[in-house]
Amino acid sequence: MKYEGWPDAGELVVGEVDEIADFGVFVDLEEYEDKRGLVHKSEVASGWIKDVTDHVSTGERVVAKVLDVDEDARQIDLSLKAVNDHQRTETIQRWKNDRKAETWLELAFGEELEDDVYTTVANAFLEAFGSLYEGFEEAAIHGEEALEDTDLDAEWIEAIVETARENVSVPYVTVTGY
Protein backbone atom coordinates (compact mmCIF):
# COMPACT_ATOMS: atom_id res chain seq x y z
CA MET A 1 0.00 0.00 0.00
CA LYS A 2 1.54 3.27 -1.08
CA TYR A 3 0.92 6.07 1.38
CA GLU A 4 0.50 9.66 0.33
CA GLY A 5 2.40 12.25 2.29
CA TRP A 6 5.71 11.90 4.05
CA PRO A 7 7.21 9.38 6.47
CA ASP A 8 7.81 10.42 10.07
CA ALA A 9 11.23 10.75 11.65
CA GLY A 10 12.10 7.53 13.46
CA GLU A 11 9.92 5.39 11.17
CA LEU A 12 11.33 2.26 9.54
CA VAL A 13 10.74 2.17 5.78
CA VAL A 14 11.33 -0.38 3.03
CA GLY A 15 13.03 0.83 -0.12
CA GLU A 16 15.00 -0.17 -3.15
CA VAL A 17 18.47 1.19 -3.85
CA ASP A 18 18.18 2.96 -7.19
CA GLU A 19 21.39 4.98 -7.38
CA ILE A 20 24.79 4.88 -5.71
CA ALA A 21 26.99 7.96 -5.56
CA ASP A 22 30.33 8.71 -3.88
CA PHE A 23 28.57 10.58 -1.07
CA GLY A 24 25.77 8.07 -0.41
CA VAL A 25 22.89 5.96 -1.64
CA PHE A 26 19.52 7.01 -3.07
CA VAL A 27 16.62 4.81 -2.00
CA ASP A 28 13.20 4.71 -3.69
CA LEU A 29 10.69 4.28 -0.85
CA GLU A 30 8.35 1.36 -1.61
CA GLU A 31 5.65 2.44 0.85
CA TYR A 32 5.36 6.10 -0.14
CA GLU A 33 4.09 7.55 -3.39
CA ASP A 34 6.92 9.17 -5.41
CA LYS A 35 9.29 9.50 -2.46
CA ARG A 36 13.03 9.02 -2.54
CA GLY A 37 15.50 9.28 0.32
CA LEU A 38 19.24 9.64 0.72
CA VAL A 39 21.43 7.49 2.92
CA HIS A 40 24.60 9.50 3.49
CA LYS A 41 27.84 7.51 3.24
CA SER A 42 28.32 7.83 7.01
CA GLU A 43 24.92 6.17 7.62
CA VAL A 44 25.42 3.12 5.37
CA ALA A 45 27.40 1.03 7.87
CA SER A 46 29.35 1.38 11.10
CA GLY A 47 33.00 2.26 10.82
CA TRP A 48 34.97 3.81 7.99
CA ILE A 49 33.61 3.16 4.50
CA LYS A 50 35.98 3.22 1.56
CA ASP A 51 33.47 2.14 -1.10
CA VAL A 52 29.69 2.21 -0.61
CA THR A 53 29.24 -0.61 -3.14
CA ASP A 54 30.92 -2.99 -0.67
CA HIS A 55 27.80 -2.63 1.49
CA VAL A 56 24.86 -2.11 -0.91
CA SER A 57 24.12 -2.66 -4.59
CA THR A 58 21.68 -1.12 -7.04
CA GLY A 59 18.32 -2.88 -6.98
CA GLU A 60 18.81 -4.21 -3.44
CA ARG A 61 15.82 -3.99 -1.10
CA VAL A 62 16.74 -2.35 2.20
CA VAL A 63 15.13 -1.29 5.46
CA ALA A 64 16.12 2.19 6.58
CA LYS A 65 15.33 4.42 9.52
CA VAL A 66 14.05 7.90 8.70
CA LEU A 67 16.37 10.41 10.38
CA ASP A 68 14.87 13.65 9.13
CA VAL A 69 12.21 14.87 6.72
CA ASP A 70 12.32 18.30 5.11
CA GLU A 71 9.10 18.66 3.11
CA ASP A 72 10.00 22.13 1.80
CA ALA A 73 13.28 20.86 0.31
CA ARG A 74 11.59 17.53 -0.61
CA GLN A 75 14.38 15.70 1.20
CA ILE A 76 14.33 12.54 3.32
CA ASP A 77 17.46 11.56 5.25
CA LEU A 78 17.79 7.84 5.96
CA SER A 79 20.10 5.51 7.87
CA LEU A 80 20.86 1.86 7.21
CA LYS A 81 23.20 1.40 10.17
CA ALA A 82 20.52 2.47 12.69
CA VAL A 83 18.43 -0.63 11.86
CA ASN A 84 19.21 -3.87 13.70
CA ASP A 85 18.59 -7.39 12.32
CA HIS A 86 15.38 -7.90 14.32
CA GLN A 87 13.89 -4.61 13.10
CA ARG A 88 14.94 -5.40 9.53
CA THR A 89 13.30 -8.85 9.61
CA GLU A 90 10.09 -7.56 11.22
CA THR A 91 9.74 -4.63 8.83
CA ILE A 92 10.32 -6.78 5.73
CA GLN A 93 7.74 -9.31 6.99
CA ARG A 94 5.19 -6.54 7.59
CA TRP A 95 5.86 -5.15 4.11
CA LYS A 96 5.46 -8.61 2.52
CA ASN A 97 2.21 -9.18 4.44
CA ASP A 98 0.87 -5.83 3.21
CA ARG A 99 1.72 -6.81 -0.38
CA LYS A 100 -0.13 -10.12 0.06
CA ALA A 101 -3.16 -8.31 1.47
CA GLU A 102 -3.23 -5.93 -1.51
CA THR A 103 -3.27 -8.96 -3.81
CA TRP A 104 -6.15 -10.44 -1.81
CA LEU A 105 -8.02 -7.15 -2.14
CA GLU A 106 -7.65 -7.37 -5.92
CA LEU A 107 -8.88 -10.97 -5.79
CA ALA A 108 -11.93 -9.94 -3.75
CA PHE A 109 -12.92 -7.00 -5.97
CA GLY A 110 -11.33 -7.89 -9.30
CA GLU A 111 -8.21 -6.52 -10.95
CA GLU A 112 -10.09 -3.41 -12.04
CA LEU A 113 -10.26 -2.32 -8.39
CA GLU A 114 -11.45 1.28 -8.25
CA ASP A 115 -9.40 3.70 -6.17
CA ASP A 116 -12.34 4.80 -4.02
CA VAL A 117 -13.24 1.18 -3.15
CA TYR A 118 -9.60 0.44 -2.31
CA THR A 119 -9.33 3.55 -0.15
CA THR A 120 -12.61 2.84 1.68
CA VAL A 121 -11.69 -0.78 2.47
CA ALA A 122 -8.08 0.05 3.34
CA ASN A 123 -9.10 2.85 5.71
CA ALA A 124 -11.73 0.63 7.38
CA PHE A 125 -9.16 -2.14 7.88
CA LEU A 126 -6.47 0.25 9.15
CA GLU A 127 -8.89 1.79 11.64
CA ALA A 128 -10.32 -1.51 12.88
CA PHE A 129 -7.29 -3.85 12.69
CA GLY A 130 -4.17 -1.77 12.14
CA SER A 131 -3.34 -3.28 8.73
CA LEU A 132 -4.91 -4.86 5.67
CA TYR A 133 -3.26 -8.19 6.46
CA GLU A 134 -4.64 -8.32 10.01
CA GLY A 135 -8.10 -7.50 8.65
CA PHE A 136 -7.98 -10.40 6.22
CA GLU A 137 -6.66 -12.68 8.95
CA GLU A 138 -9.56 -11.75 11.24
CA ALA A 139 -12.03 -12.22 8.38
CA ALA A 140 -10.63 -15.71 7.75
CA ILE A 141 -10.92 -16.66 11.43
CA HIS A 142 -14.20 -15.01 12.45
CA GLY A 143 -15.97 -14.43 9.12
CA GLU A 144 -18.52 -11.61 8.71
CA GLU A 145 -18.62 -11.17 12.48
CA ALA A 146 -15.08 -9.71 12.43
CA LEU A 147 -16.11 -6.97 9.98
CA GLU A 148 -19.43 -5.99 11.61
CA ASP A 149 -17.99 -2.87 13.24
CA THR A 150 -16.69 -1.50 9.95
CA ASP A 151 -18.83 0.68 7.69
CA LEU A 152 -18.37 -1.64 4.71
CA ASP A 153 -21.29 -2.82 2.55
CA ALA A 154 -22.56 -6.36 3.22
CA GLU A 155 -21.68 -7.29 -0.37
CA TRP A 156 -18.07 -6.14 0.14
CA ILE A 157 -17.81 -7.96 3.47
CA GLU A 158 -18.98 -11.18 1.84
CA ALA A 159 -16.36 -10.84 -0.94
CA ILE A 160 -13.61 -10.11 1.61
CA VAL A 161 -14.53 -13.07 3.84
CA GLU A 162 -14.73 -15.45 0.88
CA THR A 163 -11.32 -14.33 -0.39
CA ALA A 164 -9.83 -14.49 3.12
CA ARG A 165 -11.06 -18.03 3.73
CA GLU A 166 -9.65 -19.18 0.39
CA ASN A 167 -6.24 -17.51 0.67
CA VAL A 168 -5.24 -16.77 4.26
CA SER A 169 -3.49 -19.52 6.14
CA VAL A 170 -4.64 -19.00 9.71
CA PRO A 171 -1.98 -19.46 12.38
CA TYR A 172 -3.01 -21.93 15.03
CA VAL A 173 -1.44 -23.72 17.97
CA THR A 174 -2.23 -27.18 19.29
CA VAL A 175 -1.85 -27.54 23.04
CA THR A 176 -1.72 -30.98 24.59
CA GLY A 177 -1.14 -31.94 28.15
CA TYR A 178 -1.93 -34.25 30.99
Side-chain angles (χ1 to χ4, degrees):
M1 179 171 171
K2 291 228 181 207
Y3 299 110
E4 293 179 2
W6 296 84
D8 297 322
E11 183 179 341
L12 296 177
V13 293
V14 177
E16 184 177 320
V17 175
D18 66 349
E19 186 181 341
I20 298 175
D22 292 337
F23 56 86
V25 177
F26 289 98
V27 177
D28 180 35
L29 302 184
E30 299 277 342
E31 299 168 297
Y32 287 89
E33 196 83 36
D34 300 323
K35 297 296 184 278
R36 188 176 187 216
L38 171 68
V39 180
H40 188 268
K41 187 177 186 177
S42 64
E43 292 294 331
V44 171
S46 298
W48 187 75
I49 299 172
K50 181 178 180 181
D51 187 6
V52 176
T53 59
D54 291 341
H55 300 278
V56 294
S57 56
T58 304
E60 181 180 348
R61 181 154 290 115
V62 295
V63 175
K65 183 174 187 174
V66 178
L67 298 177
D68 188 40
V69 176
D70 185 349
E71 293 181 36
D72 296 331
R74 300 194 49 81
Q75 185 174 324
I76 302 171
D77 296 327
L78 303 170
S79 173
L80 297 178
K81 74 178 186 181
V83 181
N84 65 38
D85 289 338
H86 176 71
Q87 290 172 320
R88 186 175 298 107
T89 304
E90 233 177 48
T91 304
I92 287 289
Q93 188 61 52
R94 177 186 48 81
W95 179 77
K96 285 180 179 179
N97 287 345
D98 286 346
R99 301 276 308 254
K100 278 184 202 174
E102 287 177 10
T103 303
W104 296 334
L105 207 53
E106 287 179 6
L107 287 172
F109 295 101
E111 289 186 28
E112 299 295 321
L113 180 63
E114 296 175 21
D115 287 344
D116 61 328
V117 173
Y118 179 90
T119 304
T120 303
V121 174
N123 287 340
F125 274 33
L126 289 173
E127 186 179 314
F129 307 108
S131 75
L132 282 175
Y133 186 83
E134 304 251 342
F136 273 100
E137 210 170 52
E138 288 295 317
I141 296 169
H142 302 290
E144 285 91 359
E145 187 178 296
L147 304 174
E148 283 177 355
D149 293 339
T150 64
D151 293 335
L152 300 175
D153 296 342
E155 177 183 313
W156 291 3
I157 290 174
E158 188 177 316
I160 291 167
V161 170
E162 183 180 324
T163 303
R165 290 205 165 137
E166 290 174 4
N167 295 290
V168 178
S169 55
V170 180
Y172 67 94
V173 177
T174 304
V175 179
T176 60
Y178 298 101

